[in-house]
Amino acid sequence: MSTPVNLDTIRLVPKVLLHDHLDGGLRPQTVIDLARAAGYAGLPHEDADELGRWFAAAADSGSLERYLETFSHTVAVMQTAEALARVAAECVEDLAADGVVYAEIRYAPELFQEQGLTLDRIVAAVQDGFRDGERRAAAEGKRIRIGTLLCAMRQNARSAEIANLAVRYRDSEVVGFDIAGPEAGFPPTRNLDAFEYLRQQNAHFTIHAGEAFGLPSIWEAIQHCGAERLGHGVRIVDDIKVDEDGSVHLGRLASYIRDRRIPLEMCPSSNLQTGAAKSIAEHPIGLLAKLRFRVTVNTDNRLMSHCSMSSEFAALHEAFGYGWADMQWFAVNAMKSAFIGFDERLEIIDDVIKPGYAALLE
Ligand SMILES: O=c1[nH]cnc2c1ncn2[C@H]1C[C@H](O)[C@@H](CO)O1
Ligand SMILES: [Zn+2]
Protein backbone atom coordinates (compact mmCIF):
# COMPACT_ATOMS: atom_id res chain seq x y z
CA MET A 1 0.00 0.00 0.00
CA SER A 2 1.40 3.39 -0.89
CA THR A 3 2.16 5.87 1.89
CA PRO A 4 -0.47 8.62 2.01
CA VAL A 5 0.76 12.13 1.21
CA ASN A 6 0.09 14.49 4.10
CA LEU A 7 1.95 17.07 6.17
CA ASP A 8 3.34 14.46 8.57
CA THR A 9 4.63 12.11 5.88
CA ILE A 10 5.98 14.97 3.74
CA ARG A 11 8.07 16.10 6.71
CA LEU A 12 9.91 12.77 6.62
CA VAL A 13 11.18 12.86 3.02
CA PRO A 14 14.36 14.71 1.98
CA LYS A 15 13.74 18.21 0.68
CA VAL A 16 16.03 20.84 -0.83
CA LEU A 17 15.51 24.57 -0.31
CA LEU A 18 17.27 27.21 -2.42
CA HIS A 19 15.37 30.39 -1.53
CA ASP A 20 14.86 31.25 2.15
CA HIS A 21 15.64 34.59 3.85
CA LEU A 22 17.35 34.45 7.25
CA ASP A 23 15.52 37.60 8.40
CA GLY A 24 12.22 36.14 7.19
CA GLY A 25 12.39 32.90 9.12
CA LEU A 26 12.73 33.74 12.81
CA ARG A 27 10.67 31.91 15.43
CA PRO A 28 8.13 34.39 16.86
CA GLN A 29 9.37 33.67 20.40
CA THR A 30 12.91 34.48 19.30
CA VAL A 31 11.78 37.83 17.90
CA ILE A 32 10.24 38.57 21.32
CA ASP A 33 13.32 37.40 23.28
CA LEU A 34 15.72 39.39 21.10
CA ALA A 35 13.51 42.50 21.21
CA ARG A 36 13.60 42.39 25.01
CA ALA A 37 17.37 41.94 25.08
CA ALA A 38 17.83 44.82 22.64
CA GLY A 39 15.32 47.14 24.32
CA TYR A 40 13.32 47.28 21.07
CA ALA A 41 9.81 48.46 21.92
CA GLY A 42 8.32 48.41 18.43
CA LEU A 43 6.78 44.91 18.31
CA PRO A 44 3.02 44.86 17.74
CA HIS A 45 2.55 41.88 20.14
CA GLU A 46 4.35 40.34 23.10
CA ASP A 47 2.77 36.89 22.76
CA ALA A 48 4.45 34.46 20.34
CA ASP A 49 1.25 33.08 18.77
CA GLU A 50 -0.25 36.52 18.30
CA LEU A 51 3.00 37.87 16.90
CA GLY A 52 3.26 34.95 14.44
CA ARG A 53 -0.29 35.65 13.26
CA TRP A 54 0.45 39.37 13.00
CA PHE A 55 3.45 38.79 10.70
CA ALA A 56 1.47 36.53 8.39
CA ALA A 57 -1.51 38.93 8.28
CA ALA A 58 0.60 42.07 7.77
CA ALA A 59 2.62 40.40 5.01
CA ASP A 60 -0.62 39.27 3.36
CA SER A 61 -0.82 42.70 1.80
CA GLY A 62 -1.14 42.30 -1.95
CA SER A 63 2.07 44.22 -2.63
CA LEU A 64 5.77 43.41 -2.38
CA GLU A 65 6.52 46.81 -0.90
CA ARG A 66 4.10 46.30 2.01
CA TYR A 67 5.22 42.69 2.44
CA LEU A 68 8.76 44.00 2.89
CA GLU A 69 7.72 46.53 5.57
CA THR A 70 7.28 43.68 8.08
CA PHE A 71 11.04 43.03 7.95
CA SER A 72 11.68 46.23 9.93
CA HIS A 73 10.89 44.25 13.12
CA THR A 74 13.09 41.24 12.42
CA VAL A 75 15.96 43.39 11.18
CA ALA A 76 15.68 45.59 14.31
CA VAL A 77 16.35 42.64 16.62
CA MET A 78 19.24 41.18 14.58
CA GLN A 79 21.84 43.87 15.24
CA THR A 80 24.32 41.95 17.43
CA ALA A 81 26.61 39.02 16.66
CA GLU A 82 24.89 36.94 19.36
CA ALA A 83 21.44 37.59 17.90
CA LEU A 84 22.61 36.72 14.38
CA ALA A 85 24.25 33.48 15.54
CA ARG A 86 21.13 32.44 17.46
CA VAL A 87 18.80 33.14 14.53
CA ALA A 88 21.12 31.23 12.17
CA ALA A 89 21.41 28.18 14.44
CA GLU A 90 17.64 28.03 15.02
CA CYS A 91 17.02 28.34 11.30
CA VAL A 92 19.08 25.19 10.70
CA GLU A 93 17.34 23.31 13.53
CA ASP A 94 13.90 24.21 12.17
CA LEU A 95 14.78 23.20 8.61
CA ALA A 96 16.35 19.91 9.74
CA ALA A 97 13.26 19.11 11.82
CA ASP A 98 11.18 19.71 8.69
CA GLY A 99 13.25 17.20 6.68
CA VAL A 100 15.33 19.68 4.66
CA VAL A 101 18.71 18.10 3.82
CA TYR A 102 20.32 20.96 1.90
CA ALA A 103 19.42 24.66 2.05
CA GLU A 104 20.81 27.92 0.72
CA ILE A 105 19.91 30.68 3.17
CA ARG A 106 20.22 34.31 2.15
CA TYR A 107 20.40 37.63 3.95
CA ALA A 108 21.67 41.16 3.37
CA PRO A 109 24.64 41.89 5.67
CA GLU A 110 24.25 45.66 5.06
CA LEU A 111 20.99 45.62 7.09
CA PHE A 112 22.70 44.57 10.32
CA GLN A 113 25.06 47.50 10.79
CA GLU A 114 22.81 49.80 12.85
CA GLN A 115 24.93 49.22 15.96
CA GLY A 116 28.27 49.29 14.22
CA LEU A 117 28.93 45.64 13.31
CA THR A 118 31.35 45.31 10.41
CA LEU A 119 30.32 43.28 7.37
CA ASP A 120 33.00 40.71 8.22
CA ARG A 121 31.76 40.33 11.79
CA ILE A 122 28.21 39.84 10.52
CA VAL A 123 29.20 37.11 8.08
CA ALA A 124 31.37 35.37 10.70
CA ALA A 125 28.54 35.40 13.26
CA VAL A 126 25.99 33.94 10.84
CA GLN A 127 28.42 31.28 9.60
CA ASP A 128 29.16 30.29 13.23
CA GLY A 129 25.43 30.00 13.84
CA PHE A 130 24.90 27.82 10.77
CA ARG A 131 27.73 25.47 11.77
CA ASP A 132 26.33 25.31 15.30
CA GLY A 133 22.89 24.49 13.91
CA GLU A 134 24.32 21.75 11.68
CA ARG A 135 26.02 20.20 14.73
CA ARG A 136 22.82 20.40 16.79
CA ALA A 137 20.86 18.77 13.98
CA ALA A 138 23.48 16.03 13.63
CA ALA A 139 23.17 15.36 17.38
CA GLU A 140 19.47 14.72 16.72
CA GLY A 141 20.36 12.33 13.92
CA LYS A 142 19.48 14.77 11.11
CA ARG A 143 21.87 15.38 8.23
CA ILE A 144 21.65 18.91 6.82
CA ARG A 145 24.08 21.19 4.99
CA ILE A 146 23.66 24.95 4.72
CA GLY A 147 25.15 27.19 2.04
CA THR A 148 24.90 30.97 2.39
CA LEU A 149 23.92 33.55 -0.22
CA LEU A 150 24.75 37.19 0.50
CA CYS A 151 22.18 39.68 -0.80
CA ALA A 152 22.63 43.30 -1.74
CA MET A 153 19.48 45.42 -1.45
CA ARG A 154 18.21 46.91 -4.71
CA GLN A 155 17.42 50.29 -3.17
CA ASN A 156 20.93 50.74 -1.74
CA ALA A 157 24.11 51.14 -3.75
CA ARG A 158 26.35 48.58 -2.10
CA SER A 159 26.23 45.63 -4.46
CA ALA A 160 29.90 45.81 -5.51
CA GLU A 161 30.97 45.75 -1.86
CA ILE A 162 28.67 42.82 -1.02
CA ALA A 163 29.75 40.88 -4.12
CA ASN A 164 33.33 41.31 -2.96
CA LEU A 165 32.35 40.06 0.51
CA ALA A 166 30.71 36.96 -0.99
CA VAL A 167 33.87 36.14 -2.94
CA ARG A 168 36.07 36.64 0.12
CA TYR A 169 34.01 34.11 2.10
CA ARG A 170 33.53 31.58 -0.73
CA ASP A 171 35.73 29.02 1.08
CA SER A 172 33.62 29.33 4.25
CA GLU A 173 30.35 28.07 2.77
CA VAL A 174 29.22 31.40 1.26
CA VAL A 175 28.15 29.88 -2.04
CA GLY A 176 26.67 32.83 -3.91
CA PHE A 177 25.11 36.26 -4.22
CA ASP A 178 21.63 37.72 -4.83
CA ILE A 179 19.84 41.03 -5.27
CA ALA A 180 16.68 41.49 -3.14
CA GLY A 181 14.28 44.27 -2.16
CA PRO A 182 11.64 46.22 -4.07
CA GLU A 183 11.66 45.34 -7.77
CA ALA A 184 9.68 48.14 -9.42
CA GLY A 185 11.94 51.13 -10.12
CA PHE A 186 15.15 49.23 -9.29
CA PRO A 187 16.18 47.21 -12.38
CA PRO A 188 18.95 44.68 -11.80
CA THR A 189 21.12 46.47 -14.38
CA ARG A 190 21.87 49.11 -11.69
CA ASN A 191 24.30 46.50 -10.33
CA LEU A 192 26.14 45.51 -13.49
CA ASP A 193 29.59 46.13 -12.01
CA ALA A 194 28.86 43.64 -9.22
CA PHE A 195 27.67 40.96 -11.66
CA GLU A 196 30.65 41.49 -13.93
CA TYR A 197 33.00 41.13 -10.99
CA LEU A 198 31.29 37.91 -9.86
CA ARG A 199 31.52 36.39 -13.33
CA GLN A 200 35.20 37.27 -13.54
CA GLN A 201 35.66 35.52 -10.20
CA ASN A 202 33.78 32.40 -11.36
CA ALA A 203 31.28 33.05 -8.57
CA HIS A 204 27.58 32.17 -8.57
CA PHE A 205 24.57 34.46 -8.37
CA THR A 206 20.82 34.48 -8.58
CA ILE A 207 18.56 37.54 -8.90
CA HIS A 208 15.05 38.19 -7.56
CA ALA A 209 13.19 38.91 -10.80
CA GLY A 210 9.74 38.48 -12.29
CA GLU A 211 7.96 38.72 -8.93
CA ALA A 212 6.52 42.23 -8.67
CA PHE A 213 7.59 43.15 -12.18
CA GLY A 214 7.27 41.26 -15.45
CA LEU A 215 9.25 40.00 -18.40
CA PRO A 216 11.66 42.95 -18.83
CA SER A 217 12.99 42.30 -15.34
CA ILE A 218 13.55 38.60 -16.09
CA TRP A 219 15.14 39.39 -19.43
CA GLU A 220 17.54 41.90 -17.85
CA ALA A 221 18.45 39.50 -15.04
CA ILE A 222 19.34 36.72 -17.49
CA GLN A 223 20.64 38.49 -20.58
CA HIS A 224 22.22 41.67 -19.17
CA CYS A 225 23.30 40.54 -15.74
CA GLY A 226 24.00 36.85 -16.37
CA ALA A 227 22.00 35.38 -13.47
CA GLU A 228 22.29 31.59 -13.18
CA ARG A 229 18.93 31.24 -11.45
CA LEU A 230 15.82 33.39 -11.02
CA GLY A 231 14.38 34.26 -7.62
CA HIS A 232 10.66 33.64 -8.23
CA GLY A 233 10.55 34.20 -12.01
CA VAL A 234 6.78 33.56 -11.92
CA ARG A 235 6.00 36.20 -14.52
CA ILE A 236 7.72 34.08 -17.18
CA VAL A 237 4.18 32.78 -17.80
CA ASP A 238 3.51 36.12 -19.53
CA ASP A 239 5.66 34.72 -22.35
CA ILE A 240 3.67 31.47 -22.62
CA LYS A 241 0.40 31.16 -24.52
CA VAL A 242 -1.95 28.24 -23.96
CA ASP A 243 -4.68 27.88 -26.63
CA GLU A 244 -8.17 26.64 -25.88
CA ASP A 245 -7.30 23.26 -27.39
CA GLY A 246 -4.41 23.00 -24.90
CA SER A 247 -1.57 23.64 -27.37
CA VAL A 248 1.25 25.65 -25.84
CA HIS A 249 3.40 28.37 -27.44
CA LEU A 250 6.57 29.59 -25.74
CA GLY A 251 7.95 33.03 -26.56
CA ARG A 252 11.67 33.46 -27.10
CA LEU A 253 12.52 34.31 -23.49
CA ALA A 254 10.46 31.44 -22.04
CA SER A 255 12.06 29.07 -24.57
CA TYR A 256 15.52 30.28 -23.67
CA ILE A 257 14.90 29.76 -19.96
CA ARG A 258 13.54 26.26 -20.48
CA ASP A 259 16.16 25.27 -23.07
CA ARG A 260 19.05 26.46 -20.91
CA ARG A 261 17.53 24.74 -17.85
CA ILE A 262 17.61 28.00 -15.87
CA PRO A 263 16.27 27.20 -12.39
CA LEU A 264 13.17 29.02 -11.16
CA GLU A 265 13.12 29.47 -7.38
CA MET A 266 9.35 29.43 -6.94
CA CYS A 267 7.76 30.45 -3.63
CA PRO A 268 3.99 29.85 -3.93
CA SER A 269 2.74 31.11 -0.53
CA SER A 270 4.85 34.25 -0.69
CA ASN A 271 3.53 34.96 -4.19
CA LEU A 272 -0.07 34.87 -2.95
CA GLN A 273 0.75 37.47 -0.31
CA THR A 274 2.51 39.88 -2.66
CA GLY A 275 -0.17 39.51 -5.32
CA ALA A 276 2.06 37.68 -7.84
CA ALA A 277 -0.50 34.83 -7.94
CA LYS A 278 -4.18 34.56 -6.94
CA SER A 279 -4.27 31.06 -5.43
CA ILE A 280 -2.06 28.00 -5.19
CA ALA A 281 -4.27 26.24 -7.74
CA GLU A 282 -3.78 29.15 -10.19
CA HIS A 283 -0.08 29.52 -9.42
CA PRO A 284 2.08 29.28 -12.58
CA ILE A 285 4.13 26.51 -10.95
CA GLY A 286 1.52 24.01 -12.18
CA LEU A 287 1.95 24.96 -15.83
CA LEU A 288 5.71 25.46 -15.59
CA ALA A 289 6.26 22.07 -13.95
CA LYS A 290 4.05 20.40 -16.56
CA LEU A 291 6.15 22.03 -19.31
CA ARG A 292 9.28 20.69 -17.57
CA PHE A 293 10.90 24.03 -16.77
CA ARG A 294 13.54 23.57 -14.08
CA VAL A 295 11.14 24.42 -11.26
CA THR A 296 12.09 24.34 -7.58
CA VAL A 297 9.83 24.81 -4.55
CA ASN A 298 10.86 27.24 -1.81
CA THR A 299 9.61 29.02 1.30
CA ASP A 300 10.95 32.59 0.79
CA ASN A 301 10.04 33.74 4.32
CA ARG A 302 8.78 31.09 6.72
CA LEU A 303 7.69 33.66 9.32
CA MET A 304 5.93 36.18 7.04
CA SER A 305 4.47 33.56 4.72
CA HIS A 306 3.62 31.24 7.63
CA CYS A 307 4.95 28.19 5.81
CA SER A 308 7.57 25.45 5.77
CA MET A 309 8.92 23.32 2.95
CA SER A 310 6.50 20.60 4.02
CA SER A 311 3.49 22.92 4.13
CA GLU A 312 4.35 24.23 0.65
CA PHE A 313 4.41 20.67 -0.69
CA ALA A 314 1.19 19.80 1.15
CA ALA A 315 -0.51 22.79 -0.51
CA LEU A 316 0.87 21.78 -3.92
CA HIS A 317 -0.29 18.18 -3.37
CA GLU A 318 -3.76 19.50 -2.64
CA ALA A 319 -3.85 21.83 -5.66
CA PHE A 320 -2.10 19.71 -8.29
CA GLY A 321 -2.14 16.18 -6.88
CA TYR A 322 1.66 15.99 -6.70
CA GLY A 323 2.89 12.74 -5.20
CA TRP A 324 6.21 11.27 -4.08
CA ALA A 325 7.66 11.03 -7.61
CA ASP A 326 6.93 14.73 -8.17
CA MET A 327 8.47 15.67 -4.83
CA GLN A 328 11.60 13.72 -5.66
CA TRP A 329 11.70 15.51 -9.03
CA PHE A 330 11.52 18.90 -7.27
CA ALA A 331 14.24 17.89 -4.80
CA VAL A 332 16.54 16.66 -7.56
CA ASN A 333 15.84 19.80 -9.63
CA ALA A 334 16.82 21.95 -6.66
CA MET A 335 19.93 19.92 -5.90
CA LYS A 336 21.05 20.12 -9.54
CA SER A 337 20.61 23.90 -9.32
CA ALA A 338 22.49 24.43 -6.04
CA PHE A 339 25.62 26.57 -6.00
CA ILE A 340 27.91 23.94 -4.41
CA GLY A 341 30.21 21.74 -6.49
CA PHE A 342 28.91 19.12 -8.94
CA ASP A 343 30.38 16.18 -7.04
CA GLU A 344 28.84 17.40 -3.78
CA ARG A 345 25.43 17.83 -5.42
CA LEU A 346 25.62 14.37 -6.94
CA GLU A 347 26.49 12.85 -3.60
CA ILE A 348 23.42 14.36 -1.93
CA ILE A 349 21.20 13.21 -4.82
CA ASP A 350 22.57 9.65 -4.79
CA ASP A 351 23.16 9.13 -1.08
CA VAL A 352 20.33 11.11 0.49
CA ILE A 353 17.52 12.08 -1.88
CA LYS A 354 17.09 8.91 -3.95
CA PRO A 355 17.30 6.53 -0.97
CA GLY A 356 14.85 8.80 0.88
CA TYR A 357 12.17 8.31 -1.77
CA ALA A 358 13.05 4.76 -2.89
CA ALA A 359 10.69 2.90 -0.57
CA LEU A 360 7.83 5.30 -1.36
CA LEU A 361 8.22 4.85 -5.12
CA GLU A 362 8.21 1.03 -5.15
O1 LIG B 1 10.35 37.94 -2.08
C1 LIG B 1 11.13 38.86 -1.87
N1 LIG B 1 11.41 39.76 -2.85
C2 LIG B 1 12.30 40.76 -2.70
N2 LIG B 1 12.93 40.98 -1.54
C3 LIG B 1 12.66 40.14 -0.52
C4 LIG B 1 11.78 39.07 -0.63
N3 LIG B 1 11.72 38.45 0.56
C5 LIG B 1 12.56 39.10 1.38
N4 LIG B 1 13.13 40.13 0.73
C6 LIG B 1 14.07 41.11 1.25
C7 LIG B 1 13.78 41.53 2.68
C8 LIG B 1 15.00 41.12 3.44
O2 LIG B 1 15.35 42.06 4.44
C9 LIG B 1 16.06 41.02 2.39
C10 LIG B 1 17.26 40.15 2.70
O3 LIG B 1 16.91 38.92 3.24
O4 LIG B 1 15.36 40.52 1.27
ZN1 LIG C 1 12.98 36.17 -1.69
Side-chain angles (χ1 to χ4, degrees):
M1 208 186 78
S2 64
T3 307
V5 179
N6 59 46
L7 192 58
D8 290 334
T9 54
I10 293 171
R11 285 170 67 84
L12 302 175
V13 293
K15 291 170 290 293
V16 177
L17 170 55
L18 298 180
H19 190 133
D20 184 273
H21 293 258
L22 185 68
D23 50 339
L26 287 76
R27 299 173 186 168
Q29 187 59 51
T30 299
V31 180
I32 293 167
D33 292 350
L34 294 178
R36 275 196 201 122
Y40 175 69
L43 291 186
H45 292 283
E46 290 295 322
D47 171 80
D49 289 340
E50 280 182 68
L51 185 63
R53 279 194 292 276
W54 179 86
F55 270 108
D60 201 6
S61 59
S63 101
L64 176 61
E65 284 71 16
R66 272 181 289 150
Y67 182 91
L68 294 176
E69 281 169 18
T70 60
F71 285 80
S72 64
H73 298 294
T74 54
V75 167
V77 303
M78 294 171 72
Q79 297 296 333
T80 65
E82 297 71 30
L84 289 166
R86 172 174 171 180
V87 170
E90 290 180 354
C91 164
V92 186
E93 286 184 307
D94 293 350
L95 294 179
D98 192 40
V100 174
V101 296
Y102 177 81
E104 290 178 2
I105 307 296
R106 62 188 74 195
Y107 67 96
E110 68 201 58
L111 298 177
F112 305 127
Q113 295 196 290
E114 288 171 15
Q115 289 173 27
L117 288 179
T118 62
L119 294 175
D120 286 83
R121 184 80 187 92
I122 290 164
V123 174
V126 174
Q127 295 310 89
D128 283 350
F130 284 153
R131 300 295 82 79
D132 192 24
E134 286 169 344
R135 280 191 294 273
R136 288 191 219 167
E140 299 282 319
K142 308 254 182 213
R143 173 180 168 165
I144 183 167
R145 176 169 174 190
I146 304 292
T148 304
L149 305 183
L150 298 185
C151 305
M153 299 303 291
R154 288 172 184 276
Q155 67 275 33
N156 301 340
R158 298 183 66 178
S159 54
E161 196 184 352
I162 303 302
N164 183 275
L165 189 68
V167 169
R168 276 199 287 118
Y169 283 87
R170 67 188 345 176
D171 294 325
S172 309
E173 301 289 305
V174 171
V175 301
F177 174 85
D178 169 44
I179 297 276
E183 195 172 358
F186 299 102
T189 41
R190 284 163 49 108
N191 308 285
L192 279 180
D193 51 343
F195 301 128
E196 184 141 330
Y197 168 75
L198 290 164
R199 284 201 304 271
Q200 282 174 355
Q201 295 295 321
N202 306 306
H204 300 285
F205 58 96
T206 176
I207 298 181
H208 275 80
E211 177 187 19
F213 208 68
L215 292 175
S217 171
I218 296 179
W219 176 72
E220 282 194 15
I222 299 294
Q223 306 301 9
H224 276 268
C225 306
E228 283 174 69
R229 308 194 309 228
L230 288 168
H232 299 284
V234 264
R235 297 300 351 141
I236 196 60
V237 286
D238 297 350
D239 202 34
I240 301 175
K241 201 165 133 275
V242 183
D243 292 342
E244 272 177 22
D245 66 0
S247 53
V248 176
H249 308 273
L250 301 194
R252 287 197 197 284
L253 181 60
S255 294
Y256 185 90
I257 285 173
R258 186 171 72 162
D259 294 344
R260 296 294 304 268
R261 316 305 298 139
I262 293 173
L264 304 174
E265 305 162 359
M266 313 216 88
C267 311
S269 290
S270 164
N271 290 161
L272 301 195
Q273 293 178 301
T274 59
K278 285 203 192 73
S279 67
I280 298 282
E282 291 167 275
H283 193 283
I285 192 169
L287 176 66
L288 294 166
K290 198 159 92 193
L291 296 175
R292 312 274 306 175
F293 278 74
R294 180 159 296 168
V295 177
T296 68
V297 175
N298 301 275
T299 48
D300 209 12
N301 299 291
R302 286 168 288 115
L303 173 64
M304 287 76 178
S305 298
H306 194 63
C307 67
S308 64
M309 275 302 270
S310 296
S311 74
E312 288 300 87
F313 275 117
L316 292 170
H317 165 69
E318 184 117 322
F320 301 110
Y322 293 154
W324 300 121
D326 303 295
M327 280 180 235
Q328 174 173 272
W329 181 74
F330 283 116
V332 170
N333 269 355
M335 208 59 240
K336 284 180 177 169
S337 313
F339 285 159
I340 56 171
F342 174 71
D343 49 348
E344 299 169 296
R345 287 183 269 151
L346 216 53
E347 197 214 319
I348 298 177
I349 292 173
D350 289 339
D351 295 355
V352 183
I353 297 174
K354 288 190 174 163
Y357 286 89
L360 298 164
L361 295 177
E362 274 166 7

